[in-house]
Amino acid sequence: MANAVKNKRQVFKLKPNETIDYKQVDILLSFLTEHGKIKSRRTTNLTLKQQRQLSRAVKRARFLDLLPFVTCVEN
């Protein structure tokens, strides 16, 4: 295991009492991967409550066409 590489976590600055809203598209984009998937709690360091708010907000924003469902990445 000498060659094991640890993934670097991105620390997102959200206060514990701060809510995530579907209208804050710039914040939501920082929690999505390049393919449009929601990043996991492990990589975003969010609480369980914030992660649920995030997934709800992303799904609402996708439904209202504020965010794309899938982004196509060309090689």
Side-chain angles (χ1 to χ4, degrees):
M1 283 279 192
N3 295 333
V5 178
K6 289 187 178 182
N7 290 338
K8 292 184 180 180
R9 292 188 196 179
Q10 291 181 340
V11 178
F12 295 98
K13 301 291 183 184
L14 278 181
K15 296 173 186 165
N17 57 358
E18 188 175 351
T19 60
I20 302 170
D21 192 26
Y22 69 93
K23 293 176 263 185
Q24 300 169 332
V25 178
D26 52 337
I27 293 175
L28 294 179
L29 284 174
S30 65
F31 291 105
L32 297 178
T33 63
E34 58 191 19
H35 297 288
K37 293 183 176 183
I38 303 172
K39 292 182 183 177
S40 67
R41 267 186 73 203
R42 184 178 291 174
T43 58
T44 58
N45 290 332
L46 293 177
T47 62
L48 182 61
K49 187 174 183 178
Q50 288 174 331
Q51 185 70 22
R52 286 186 187 137
Q53 287 176 350
L54 173 69
S55 63
R56 244 183 257 127
V58 168
K59 289 174 185 178
R60 284 181 183 158
R62 285 176 178 163
F63 182 75
L64 294 173
D65 206 23
L66 299 174
L67 289 176
F69 280 94
V70 181
T71 57
C72 183
V73 178
E74 299 285 332
N75 288 342

